[in-house]
Amino acid sequence: SSNLSQDVMEDFDNRYNFVINKVQEFIYKEREKQEIIANLVKSLSDLGYSTLITTSDGIMFFDSPLGIEYKIMLRMLKDKLAIKFIKIIPNNYVVSDSEKEKDIELVKDWCKDCQKVLHYLKENNIYLEPEKILNPTDNPDIIYVSFSTLPTEIKELYSKQIENKKKAIIKSKKPE
């Protein structure tokens, strides 16, 4: 019977060690992910992008220097980094072909900034293999997001930004 209990103990130890290793691996990956995100935020802010908000499901939105309707959407998916360029449009708005072409040109310009961000990460010893980056450079595209489909947190902030822009325009038109 001592052999049986020894086998049971060995089995328990193996399972316990397996679980502990998995937990440590998870903690390590989470820490690594947080470090990548912190460095991304730093490099984007150095390039003139400011963090707008992080939604409850971990999607980060950045303001872009191109205008308040243009946002950068960033998300870590498992160990992949997804970067998307979005433009907020009014509900039921139809984007014309010429507008789409103009936006694609903006995205191409923005891809240069994206390369700077990846270079910055490398300089900070964070290496993301190309297949780990769902990179806009491969396929420059813009995602049009109608206002009504935005996460609530973004709707509120975006509405405030539009309000502030209107106030600024009104102020600038006032005669001295």
Side-chain angles (χ1 to χ4, degrees):
S1 97
S2 71
N3 277 356
L4 178 66
S5 62
Q6 199 170 355
D7 288 348
V8 169
M9 282 308 291
E10 228 171 84
D11 186 47
F12 174 79
D13 284 350
N14 289 339
R15 287 172 189 233
Y16 176 78
N17 287 334
F18 177 77
V19 169
I20 290 296
N21 286 339
K22 283 289 173 204
V23 168
Q24 286 172 335
E25 203 177 293
F26 175 78
I27 291 170
Y28 174 76
K29 279 189 173 160
E30 276 304 302
R31 208 175 281 151
E32 201 177 49
K33 202 159 99 172
Q34 294 308 319
E35 195 181 324
I36 289 172
I37 288 170
N39 276 289
L40 276 168
V41 171
K42 170 91 176 82
S43 62
L44 280 165
S45 71
D46 287 353
L47 290 168
Y49 296 82
S50 55
T51 316
L52 191 56
I53 198 166
T54 303
T55 62
S56 52
D57 53 358
I59 301 173
M60 296 179 82
F61 285 85
F62 289 84
D63 270 333
S64 107
L66 300 170
I68 58 173
E69 66 278 14
Y70 296 100
K71 307 284 179 217
I72 308 300
M73 202 168 76
L74 239 162
R75 187 177 197 181
M76 290 290 290
L77 304 156
K78 290 194 178 111
D79 61 346
K80 277 191 165 63
L81 173 68
I83 306 172
K84 295 281 175 216
F85 193 81
I86 67 167
K87 182 178 185 181
I88 301 170
I89 55 173
N91 299 334
N92 306 320
Y93 181 80
V94 179
V95 180
S96 70
D97 287 346
S98 64
E99 193 177 353
K100 173 115 174 135
E101 278 172 35
K102 191 184 115 206
D103 286 339
I104 292 292
E105 287 309 307
L106 286 175
V107 173
K108 285 179 184 170
D109 277 349
W110 175 73
C111 285
K112 292 173 193 155
D113 276 355
C114 188
Q115 292 309 312
K116 288 178 192 164
V117 168
L118 298 176
H119 180 72
Y120 178 93
L121 289 177
K122 259 188 198 141
E123 285 179 344
N124 285 281
N125 298 319
I126 293 174
Y127 298 96
L128 286 172
E129 294 105 66
E131 67 274 6
K132 288 197 174 176
I133 303 164
L134 305 175
N135 198 334
T137 315
D138 308 332
N139 179 16
D141 198 13
I142 186 161
I143 299 172
Y144 293 100
V145 182
S146 63
F147 181 80
S148 60
T149 61
L150 288 169
T152 311
E153 307 105 311
I154 297 292
K155 274 186 197 166
E156 290 167 3
L157 279 165
Y158 183 64
S159 298
K160 279 183 194 159
Q161 287 179 320
I162 288 188
E163 204 50 49
N164 292 340
K165 188 178 178 182
K166 284 179 186 167
K167 284 179 188 166
I169 289 170
I170 291 167
K171 261 188 193 162
S172 69
K173 285 185 177 172
K174 273 187 185 164
E176 289 298 310

